[in-house]
Amino acid sequence: MTTWKNALDRFLVLPLLVLLAIASLLPLIESNIWWIRYLDFPRLQIALFLLGLTFLHFLLRGAWGKWRWLVLGLAGIALVSHGYRLYPYFFPLKPPAVETASCPAESRIRLLIANVKMANEHAEKLLRIVHDTEPDLFLVMETDAWWDRQLDALDERFSYRVQYIPPQAESYGMHLFSRYPLIEPKIRLRFDAATPSIDTRVRLPGERIIHFHGLHPRPPRYWSQSALPRDAQLLKAALEARDSRQPTILAGDFNAVSWESVTRRVMRLAGLLDPRVGRGFYPTYDAKNPIIAWPLDHVLYQDELTLVSFDRQPGFGSDHYPIYAELCHRPDAADRQTPPVPAEGDLDEARATIERAEMQARE
């Protein structure tokens, strides 16, 4: 006779294990379909559900013949996949990938990035964070005309400013404030008119120059939406960083998690270091839902820059937490840090992705 425990295990627990295992492995497919790419985001949550269901299966002492072992084997493979992607972000399982060092004032770059969420009108809370952190560079994303007026209060604090105010309400604006001179700042609308990026060089004290890319590619919105424009924007910045003569920072809301294939390719192509590696998860989204905890906001940089500090700032009404990073320009650090190197096919795949996105934008 089938007991209720066996029935619960056979008709609920084991089928859920199969579904979650398949969802875990689908992102291994090279696809631009958002619902497949989106499955990379909740890897931690899916892994915890898999562990919980596996424990429940043994607690119920269910049995389902040889299919049971097949399902458990599939779940085990999925858990290994999650562990491989996630373990660098759980201190102290992996040592930090970047050097932490003290820094003379003339070589220091304090960077604050914040996605404000256009509907959020708690500007005073964000301005308080700016006051407390005293950044040299402040990147603000998802701004509109209302936010532009509120951010005017920062003009006394920052000598330099570049901005893009979108003509349409559903588009995303972007502001960059700087205490240091900006050299030839450019607003880029590469693959659509709704998602700007900022490309500029920054002159530090002592005539040192760094290259800065502020990025906010289009987020997932529709189940059928392609990830191609997002990937292309990130990869284009990576290739420019790769060819830059100055040490480069890529920062912003990437709408991609740290362990996602496109983020890892960007890091390999440009030789970028991630302060999260060996330090922690630092989820920045969703600030209003602790169950949805993903690191979408990033500060990545090349090996002539070192890390002084990295932290998540308090919420201010947005669905993103701000990120603060204090970096140091130390050219000699390149001999002591080991950034990732390109894998075979990375460059060709990046160029092909950018070409496809350019063709799609022309259609």
Side-chain angles (χ1 to χ4, degrees):
M1 179 181 294
T2 301
T3 67
W4 69 269
K5 290 184 178 181
N6 284 337
L8 179 64
D9 184 60
R10 180 170 182 175
F11 295 110
L12 180 63
V13 175
L14 289 176
L16 283 176
L17 277 173
V18 172
L19 288 175
L20 289 176
I22 293 173
S24 303
L25 299 175
L26 272 176
L28 300 178
I29 300 172
E30 289 287 341
S31 171
N32 290 319
I33 300 173
W34 259 119
W35 68 268
I36 292 180
R37 294 268 58 88
Y38 199 84
L39 291 171
D40 253 321
F41 289 35
R43 279 191 176 274
L44 177 60
Q45 291 83 354
I46 293 176
L48 291 175
F49 273 114
L50 280 170
L51 285 171
L53 287 168
T54 302
F55 176 76
L56 181 59
H57 166 73
F58 286 108
L59 189 66
L60 293 172
R61 298 181 180 180
W64 198 17
K66 61 182 179 181
W67 292 107
R68 172 196 186 197
W69 299 110
L70 180 62
V71 171
L72 291 177
L74 188 63
I77 294 171
L79 283 170
V80 169
S81 173
H82 291 308
Y84 174 74
R85 294 295 182 101
L86 295 174
Y87 91 93
Y89 307 98
F90 285 89
F91 178 84
L93 295 179
K94 185 175 175 65
V98 293
E99 175 184 303
T100 303
S102 59
C103 183
E106 65 273 12
S107 301
R108 187 175 301 168
I109 310 105
R110 294 171 298 185
L111 174 63
L112 179 68
I113 65 171
N115 181 328
V116 299
K117 186 175 178 61
M118 282 188 290
N120 171 34
E121 294 189 350
H122 294 284
E124 71 286 349
K125 294 183 179 180
L126 179 60
L127 295 176
R128 192 176 306 126
I129 293 172
V130 175
H131 178 269
D132 293 341
T133 57
E134 298 184 332
D136 303 309
L137 293 173
F138 178 34
L139 179 68
V140 200
M141 296 156 287
E142 206 166 309
T143 51
D144 58 8
W146 185 90
W147 272 98
D148 182 56
R149 293 191 296 272
Q150 309 311 307
L151 295 172
D152 284 343
L154 296 175
D155 286 345
E156 294 182 2
R157 181 180 295 272
F158 296 95
S159 302
Y160 304 92
R161 169 175 174 167
V162 58
Q163 64 196 44
Y164 173 76
I165 306 298
Q168 299 176 344
E170 68 271 16
S171 301
Y172 301 112
M174 182 177 287
H175 288 65
L176 176 65
F177 296 86
S178 176
R179 292 179 57 242
Y180 301 136
L182 301 178
I183 304 171
E184 298 179 345
K186 299 180 180 68
I187 299 291
R188 301 282 182 83
L189 297 165
R190 285 196 170 103
F191 303 107
D192 61 59
T195 50
S197 62
I198 292 177
D199 176 14
T200 185
R201 288 175 292 157
V202 183
R203 190 184 303 277
L204 305 181
E207 299 301 306
R208 297 184 179 189
I209 296 175
I210 63 168
H211 204 153
F212 178 83
H213 291 269
L215 302 166
H216 184 204
R218 181 180 289 275
R221 185 176 297 173
Y222 309 113
W223 286 102
S224 60
Q225 182 176 313
S226 172
L228 185 62
R230 179 205 64 173
D231 292 359
Q233 188 173 142
L234 296 174
L235 291 167
K236 183 69 173 178
L239 293 184
E240 291 181 354
R242 179 175 178 267
D243 296 333
S244 177
R245 296 181 180 181
Q246 288 89 27
T248 302
I249 300 170
L250 270 63
D253 173 8
F254 289 7
N255 279 304
V257 286
S258 303
W259 50 84
E260 198 171 344
S261 57
V262 66
T263 311
R264 290 150 63 103
R265 180 167 285 148
V266 164
M267 292 175 61
R268 292 194 301 264
L269 285 169
L272 296 168
L273 297 163
D274 182 357
R276 282 184 169 93
V277 171
R279 286 187 172 82
F281 204 57
Y282 293 96
T284 57
Y285 178 92
D286 183 339
K288 299 181 178 181
N289 186 345
I291 296 176
I292 302 175
W294 303 326
L296 298 185
D297 302 82
H298 303 272
V299 176
L300 308 177
Y301 47 89
Q302 292 178 327
D303 57 5
E304 287 189 20
L305 297 161
T306 62
L307 182 71
V308 178
S309 65
F310 180 80
D311 201 6
R312 190 181 75 176
Q313 296 300 302
F316 62 98
S318 173
D319 52 356
H320 287 251
Y321 290 104
I323 282 287
Y324 173 82
E326 188 171 348
L327 307 177
C328 186
H329 183 206
R330 299 182 62 176
D332 61 314
D335 298 328
R336 301 188 298 276
Q337 300 187 108
T338 307
V341 297
E344 184 179 356
D346 272 348
L347 187 57
D348 290 339
E349 181 60 34
R351 287 171 174 166
T353 298
I354 293 167
E355 184 178 349
R356 291 196 300 270
E358 290 173 341
M359 291 178 61
Q360 185 181 90
R362 290 194 294 266
E363 292 177 354

